[in-house]
């Protein structure tokens, strides 16, 4: 489970050998989404430690503009799973979390000084804060042999999520997170990524070809029993043509007090 060496993980991720002096990066290159979990217990004491790790992430201006809700109720998980594309990992993961961009807490003590909280700047700060916190939690969890799966489909129906989780004004759930020990044998594989030259530019932006990545993804798709002639570029373009309910996000965020200005 997550036992690839950094060199093997690099090749799986980028389709070529890494630097000759590649450092030992632990589990950072081994990440994959895990959607099948074992029934092995994940004690609350371990979760408390992972939340502490999340709280140790960088936070803009020390405002800590995020919160997290753990959801263990079976009926509530079922409602969320149905809303979020009927994803079984929401039902079956030992722990499930809703991560929140949260300006509500600071509004409570800011008084008149919080009159700028409806500016887009604070919305961005809160979303950056919650993403940093969750990813630090994920890295710690994976280092302990746990598997994770982010659930972006929490944005499919933000109004329902607000109702189900009793969210106050100035809060928003951009994603959920499943955590647990992976089911054995682990079948999730490392998914390829673009080469660094496609995302790491020096001194200014550059446009690069995606042909090499489309070819690597064709091989990956076929290894997973998926038709390879439908390229990553084509699949991505199709994804960009559908909103799956998320077209209401701007309306929802404005109603919640985010980004009005």
């Amino acid at each position: 489970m997550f036992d690839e060496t950094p060199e093997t993980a690099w090749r799986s991720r980028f389709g070529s050998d890494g630097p000759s002096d590649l450092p030992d990066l632990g589990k950072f290159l081994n990440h994959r989404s895990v959607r099948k979990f074992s029934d092995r217990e994940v004690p609350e004491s371990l979760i408390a430690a992972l939340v502490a790790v999340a709280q140790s992430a960088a936070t803009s201006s020390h405002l800590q503009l995020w919160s997290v809700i753990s959801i263990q109720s079976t009926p509530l998980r079922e409602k969320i799973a149905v809303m979020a594309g009927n994803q079984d990992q929401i039902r079956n993961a030992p722990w499930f979390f809703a991560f929140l961009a949260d300006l509500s807490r600071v509004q409570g003590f800011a008084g008149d000084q919080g009159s700028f909280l409806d500016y887009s700047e604070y919305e961005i700060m809160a979303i950056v804060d919650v993403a940093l916190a969750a990813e630090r939690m994920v890295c710690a969890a994976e280092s302990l042999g746990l598997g994770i799966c982010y659930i972006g489909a929490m944005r499919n129906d933000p109004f329902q999520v607000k109702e189900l989780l009793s969210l106050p004004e100035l809060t928003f759930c951009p994603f959920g997170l499943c955590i647990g020990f992976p089911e054995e044998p682990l079948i999730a594989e490392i998914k390829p990524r673009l080469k660094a030259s496609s995302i790491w530019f020096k001194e200014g932006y550059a446009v690069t070809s995606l042909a090499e990545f489309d070819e690597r993804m064709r091989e990956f798709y076929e290894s997973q029993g998926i038709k390879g002639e439908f390229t990553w570029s084509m699949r991505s373009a199709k994804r960009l043509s559908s909103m799956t309910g998320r077209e209401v996000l701007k309306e929802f965020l404005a109603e919640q007090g985010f980004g009005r200005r």
Side-chain angles (χ1 to χ4, degrees), residues 147-208:
I148 71 94
C149 185
Y150 280 107
I151 305 294
M154 295 295 282
R155 302 191 299 276
N156 284 7
D157 191 339
F159 291 100
Q160 185 178 1
V161 171
K162 174 184 176 179
E163 179 181 352
L164 290 174
L165 301 182
S166 302
L167 300 185
E169 186 181 38
L170 288 173
T171 60
F172 162 55
C173 179
F175 54 83
L177 182 67
C178 300
I179 290 183
F181 288 101
E183 181 180 83
E184 296 286 3
L186 180 65
I187 60 173
E189 295 186 22
I190 292 177
K191 186 176 288 187
R193 294 288 195 270
L194 292 163
K195 286 188 178 296
S197 58
S198 292
I199 60 96
W200 176 15
F201 311 127
K202 298 178 180 179
E203 318 310 331
Y205 195 88
V207 177
T208 60

Side-chain angles (χ1 to χ4, degrees), residues 2 17 92 216 231 240:
F2 297 90
D17 290 335
N92 300 327
R216 272 196 292 130
T231 67
L240 295 174

Side-chain angles (χ1 to χ4, degrees), residues 5 40 42 53 61 94 110 121-122 133 172 179 190 192-193 196 199 202 219 221 226 229 242 260:
T5 65
R40 180 178 170 185
V42 181
V53 169
S61 300
E121 164 64 2
Y122 285 99
F172 162 55
I179 290 183
I190 292 177
R193 294 288 195 270
I199 60 96
K202 298 178 180 179
E219 296 174 0
Y221 291 143
I226 302 170
E229 63 268 23
S242 173
R260 291 172 177 164

Side-chain angles (χ1 to χ4, degrees), residues 106-117:
V106 294
Q107 183 194 45
F109 62 74
D112 291 342
Q113 297 180 78
S115 59
F116 294 110
L117 285 176

Side-chain angles (χ1 to χ4, degrees), residues 68-113:
V68 63
I69 300 173
S70 58
I71 302 162
Q72 300 302 89
S73 161
T74 299
L76 184 52
R77 288 248 206 135
E78 177 62 26
K79 291 176 181 177
I80 292 173
V82 171
M83 179 277 303
N86 207 34
Q87 298 187 60
D88 276 339
Q89 63 267 33
I90 297 173
R91 299 181 176 96
N92 300 327
W95 287 85
F96 179 68
F97 303 89
F99 275 84
L100 307 179
D102 185 356
L103 299 178
S104 177
R105 180 168 47 248
V106 294
Q107 183 194 45
F109 62 74
D112 291 342
Q113 297 180 78

Side-chain angles (χ1 to χ4, degrees), residues 9-111:
W10 187 288
R11 285 192 294 272
S12 297
R13 190 72 78 193
F14 304 113
S16 61
D17 290 335
S20 58
D21 56 350
L22 181 66
D24 184 354
L25 295 171
K27 302 296 183 183
F28 286 100
L29 290 172
N30 300 53
H31 167 77
R32 71 267 274 155
S33 293
V34 172
R35 294 179 173 84
K36 292 185 180 295
F37 296 93
S38 76
D39 57 6
R40 180 178 170 185
E41 180 187 5
V42 181
E44 186 165 338
S45 58
L46 176 52
I47 296 301
L50 291 177
V51 171
V53 169
Q55 288 187 269
S56 299
T59 172
S60 185
S61 300
H62 198 219
L63 289 174
Q64 304 170 78
L65 301 176
W66 68 279
S67 297
V68 63
I69 300 173
S70 58
I71 302 162
Q72 300 302 89
S73 161
T74 299
L76 184 52
R77 288 248 206 135
E78 177 62 26
K79 291 176 181 177
I80 292 173
V82 171
M83 179 277 303
N86 207 34
Q87 298 187 60
D88 276 339
Q89 63 267 33
I90 297 173
R91 299 181 176 96
N92 300 327
W95 287 85
F96 179 68
F97 303 89
F99 275 84
L100 307 179
D102 185 356
L103 299 178
S104 177
R105 180 168 47 248
V106 294
Q107 183 194 45
F109 62 74

